[in-house]
Amino acid sequence: FSLVSYYPFIYFEAGGMPNGFGLFKLNVGFDLLAGLLALWAWNKLCNPLLRLLTMGGAFALSILADWSIFGVGFILLFGIFHGNFKKQAVSFSIWGGAMVLFCIFGLPLAKLFTGETLCFPYQMAATQLFQSGIFLALPLLRYYSGEQGGRKYGKWVFYVFYPLHLFVLGAIKGLLLG
């Protein structure tokens, strides 16, 4: 799924095939895979050192992915606190708050150190405020019953929709920005 979505994701992000480091930007499918690996290690590995190394490796691998370490963290926290919404909500809020703060303050600083051209750091910080929208998920998660929804082939709608919508949005972005 991540491989099939790679080009549409890159097309959406960069408007075509990027040069250099941009080729290593991975979509959310890779975050999901790394999160699954971390959760598997938490649940199945008895050796604490092996568990820690595997989970650390999953976090390290996710740095190149769309949600970076934050996607893996969300998956891991929801898995660890499965069945206890209060603990899930608190851990989601803390981890989500860290993500929002990083996007608002950390990303502009990181881009300054890598030499990327920015207008002003505070302008980039302001553009990252949309990240706080993740907290809108909490009411939806509160009422999730735990039941798998959809029809027998319903999941395939997502597998088609995700790369298709990225490609369409990339095309619209290209038309608008030239």
Side-chain angles (χ1 to χ4, degrees):
F1 168 69
S2 188
L3 291 175
V4 167
S5 301
Y6 177 75
Y7 181 75
F9 178 75
I10 291 295
Y11 180 65
F12 169 71
E13 286 281 315
M17 290 307 287
N19 297 326
F21 191 70
L23 286 170
F24 298 106
K25 181 76 172 147
L26 302 170
N27 59 55
V28 73
F30 195 77
D31 284 305
L32 295 171
L33 180 62
L36 180 63
L37 176 63
L39 192 57
W40 173 84
W42 175 265
N43 287 323
K44 300 292 183 186
L45 295 179
C46 296
N47 182 318
L49 180 60
L50 187 57
R51 178 190 291 175
L52 183 64
L53 288 173
T54 304
M55 290 171 55
F59 275 96
L61 290 171
S62 73
I63 289 172
L64 297 174
D66 193 28
W67 279 72
S68 189
I69 64 168
F70 297 105
V72 175
F74 285 126
I75 292 167
L76 194 56
L77 290 169
F78 273 101
I80 291 170
F81 299 120
H82 179 75
N84 186 333
F85 178 73
K86 187 174 182 176
K87 287 183 178 180
Q88 285 179 328
V90 168
S91 64
F92 177 88
S93 297
I94 292 169
W95 191 245
M99 184 192 87
V100 170
L101 289 174
F102 174 78
C103 290
I104 291 173
F105 299 109
L107 282 179
L109 290 175
K111 289 186 183 272
L112 285 175
F113 287 115
T114 60
E116 282 190 51
T117 306
L118 293 175
C119 24
F120 292 100
Y122 67 85
Q123 287 175 323
M124 184 179 172
T127 66
Q128 292 297 314
L129 286 173
F130 77 93
Q131 301 286 355
S132 59
I134 64 165
F135 296 108
L136 296 174
L138 280 174
L140 296 174
L141 294 169
R142 171 66 181 101
Y143 294 105
Y144 174 60
S145 67
E147 296 285 323
Q148 206 171 18
R151 299 176 187 217
K152 185 177 180 182
Y153 300 105
K155 71 178 181 179
W156 292 104
V157 171
F158 174 76
Y159 289 123
V160 171
F161 173 78
Y162 180 71
L164 184 62
H165 98 285
L166 287 172
F167 188 77
V168 169
L169 290 174
I172 291 170
K173 182 180 172 182
L175 289 172
L176 292 174
L177 300 178

